[in-house]
Amino acid sequence: MNCSKSTGLIAAFLLVGLPATGWTADSPGCANHPPLESGTYQMQFEGLERTYRVHVPDSPDQMGAGPLVVIFHGWGGDENDYLDLEEVRQEADKRGYVLVAARGIGSGTPDSGRNSWSFRGSTSGIDGNGAKICDDEFTPDYTYPSCREAGIAQNSCSWTHCQGPSEGDVEFTLAMVREIENGLCVDTGRIYATGTSNGGMFTWELGQNPKSASTFRAIAPNIGLPHRGYLAGPPAGAGMPALLVTGTRDATVPPGEWEEPGFTTTSDGDRFFYASATAITRVWANALGCSTETDAVPFDAGLGHVDCRSYCSSEMAFPAVLDCRADMGHDSGLAWSWRLTLDFFDAHAVEQ
């Protein structure tokens, strides 16, 4: 695997030291001098050139293994969607988080159009119940050439790329994390994943897939839900906390009503079918040993305009599975949700 750096790089910095947890380990990159710099990198993976951007905390006077957040953009976005935002970088700097934001596939040969992340159902167009993931009478055909030519798309509901091997985005993510661990001083027990929209959907995939679940301490999907029927929790023993942020007026990936576990339907011109926020958080809570026999109870996350609820105990700083919904549309709300996400990751730095 060949990793090269592009132009426009920032000076290198070491990471903020954090208290030892007793069960984590420093990455091989802790022995590197100098470490990777902030900037944009390319790596060859399974015959494809993949791109990711790294932001290293601006804290040159502090040393030690620090946490890592892996970020996934929405459909048509790129690695700059989060990292171009000053508030994202500044909040990470204050807490000593390394950030790595990857670019999905879609804009290069053989595909044209939107960069995307592929997850269960999105390439085949088939939901977890064997039906279509969309109503194709109302939904345009977004099928990428790579899915059509490979015979992976089984209908016109397919909407993400099919380049690379099966589970290619999962495998690429793991390879990229290894690159970061080798180039920076990372606490391997504090690696987290978050993403927006299509990237949020892929974040659920990382938490559900046995290949990747053990790499991540917690996940925080933002305005992204699995397609209908794909309701697996984390693998047994993973114990992976999850924060979900959605918008109650979201017509693209609607969360549904509280305590309604049925699927939801896009109503912004397309008609895709998604698991509801209640359905996926119930499954996740059960997997983490929380009872869902009664309604989720409110949790005060310190955001007056956001309704957060959980099936898990709130005796800790944050419950292990948290469903937060704001009065907004298909909007990441990063001005407030990014701080909430890092609060959640901080609260689950160690196993409870």
Side-chain angles (χ1 to χ4, degrees):
M1 192 177 301
N2 179 30
C3 181
S4 61
K5 187 171 67 174
S6 71
T7 59
L9 302 182
I10 308 169
F13 297 107
L14 296 177
L15 310 184
V16 173
L18 289 160
T21 63
W23 62 280
T24 63
D26 292 352
S27 71
C30 294
N32 280 4
H33 300 287
L36 288 178
E37 302 173 346
S38 294
T40 302
Y41 293 78
Q42 284 78 41
M43 61 180 284
Q44 295 295 321
F45 179 74
E46 298 291 346
L48 298 171
E49 183 174 80
R50 304 299 301 261
T51 299
Y52 63 88
R53 178 177 168 184
V54 176
H55 175 74
V56 182
D58 186 359
S59 306
D61 58 335
Q62 301 187 61
M63 301 176 62
L68 169 67
V69 179
V70 187
I71 299 169
F72 302 94
H73 61 73
W75 197 52
D78 62 26
E79 69 278 10
N80 301 312
D81 286 6
Y82 274 70
L83 297 190
D84 273 355
L85 299 177
E86 186 175 4
E87 60 265 38
V88 168
R89 300 192 307 271
Q90 286 183 343
E91 193 65 30
D93 287 353
K94 285 195 304 183
R95 303 176 191 234
Y97 276 86
V98 176
L99 308 179
V100 56
R103 182 191 302 173
I105 291 179
S107 58
T109 303
D111 287 328
S112 61
R114 296 175 176 268
N115 296 323
S116 64
W117 302 102
S118 295
F119 57 99
R120 285 176 297 174
S122 69
T123 54
S124 66
I126 301 297
D127 71 14
N129 303 316
K132 296 178 181 178
I133 62 170
C134 82
D135 184 336
D136 53 12
E137 291 187 14
F138 299 91
T139 304
D141 185 353
Y142 298 108
T143 306
Y144 286 48
S146 58
C147 295
R148 184 177 295 111
E149 293 166 7
I152 294 172
Q154 297 184 38
N155 53 55
S156 63
C157 297
S158 170
W159 64 283
T160 63
H161 79 89
C162 293
Q163 294 193 63
S166 174
E167 300 183 306
D169 281 336
V170 169
E171 294 165 2
F172 159 68
T173 298
L174 296 178
M176 179 182 65
V177 169
R178 299 294 91 80
E179 289 281 350
I180 299 302
E181 290 178 338
N182 288 327
L184 283 169
C185 190
V186 172
D187 181 344
T188 60
R190 293 192 66 192
I191 299 176
Y192 307 97
T194 189
T196 297
S197 193
N198 171 231
M201 300 169 196
F202 179 60
T203 302
W204 286 115
E205 179 75 23
L206 291 172
Q208 294 169 328
N209 193 310
K211 288 185 178 180
S212 50
S214 61
T215 294
F216 297 98
R217 175 70 195 110
I219 60 172
N222 188 308
I223 57 173
L225 293 161
H227 276 300
R228 177 177 60 185
Y230 292 109
L231 283 172
M240 181 186 298
L243 164 68
L244 172 62
V245 172
T246 56
T248 57
R249 292 184 287 105
D250 189 345
T252 302
V253 189
E257 299 297 325
W258 292 103
E259 303 305 330
E260 288 192 4
F263 67 89
T264 66
T265 305
T266 298
S267 60
D268 61 355
D270 298 329
R271 289 193 184 176
F272 283 98
F273 308 125
Y274 293 100
S276 70
T278 292
I280 188 63
T281 55
R282 278 187 183 179
V283 168
W284 216 265
N286 281 328
L288 270 63
C290 306
S291 173
T292 58
E293 293 181 359
T294 58
D295 292 352
V297 298
F299 175 80
D300 183 4
L303 297 165
H305 68 292
V306 182
D307 186 357
C308 294
R309 305 183 192 183
S310 179
Y311 297 103
C312 299
S313 169
S314 58
E315 295 177 358
M316 61 191 76
F318 276 84
V321 181
L322 189 60
D323 181 352
C324 293
R325 309 183 192 185
D327 181 17
M328 63 183 188
H330 197 62
D331 185 334
S332 64
L334 284 176
W336 57 268
S337 67
W338 177 244
R339 291 192 301 273
L340 174 64
T341 295
L342 295 190
D343 284 345
F344 186 81
F345 291 162
D346 283 343
H348 294 286
V350 297
E351 291 181 300
Q352 304 294 329

